[in-house]
Amino acid sequence: GALLDADASAFAPATAAARKARKGGGKGGGRQEGALAEEAIAEVEAILAALGGEGCTLIQDWNSKYLRHLGHLRDFLMSRPDKFRIIPNGRGFRVATVVRL
């Protein structure tokens, strides 16, 4: 199977930006961050779909594209248990899409 890999920094505690993103707040307002969150979800889902729903990869530009508003990748993914399941993998982690029955 495949999942998203991240380095140990992905295991950092939730940042203020990640907490605000979950609430839809923060600089730029909830609408802008909501759209950014939807874009990030779509990007992760596309990667996972290409890998069969589970994968080991890294969104190379996460920090420049999303970190400021959505926080660390792992924190963001954990804030969406309706979409993603985190699987510890050594110093990093793997991600699987949540399958609805």
Side-chain angles (χ1 to χ4, degrees), residues 15-94:
T15 63
R19 288 188 297 274
K20 286 180 184 177
R22 284 193 289 270
K23 295 178 183 175
K27 289 186 179 181
R31 187 176 306 158
Q32 177 185 2
E33 288 184 4
L36 196 59
E38 290 304 315
E39 181 182 321
I41 288 168
E43 187 170 347
V44 172
E45 287 177 335
I47 291 169
L48 292 175
L51 297 171
E54 185 176 300
C56 287
T57 189
L58 176 66
I59 297 177
Q60 295 295 326
D61 59 349
W62 180 270
N63 287 351
S64 63
K65 196 170 181 181
Y66 302 114
L67 180 65
R68 181 174 176 211
H69 297 286
L70 302 179
H72 291 280
L73 174 60
R74 182 176 190 266
D75 293 335
F76 176 73
L77 296 172
M78 288 180 67
S79 77
R80 296 307 309 255
D82 59 317
K83 301 272 186 191
F84 308 110
R85 181 171 51 95
I86 303 296
I87 304 163
N89 184 28
R91 289 182 43 169
F93 64 93
R94 299 167 44 140

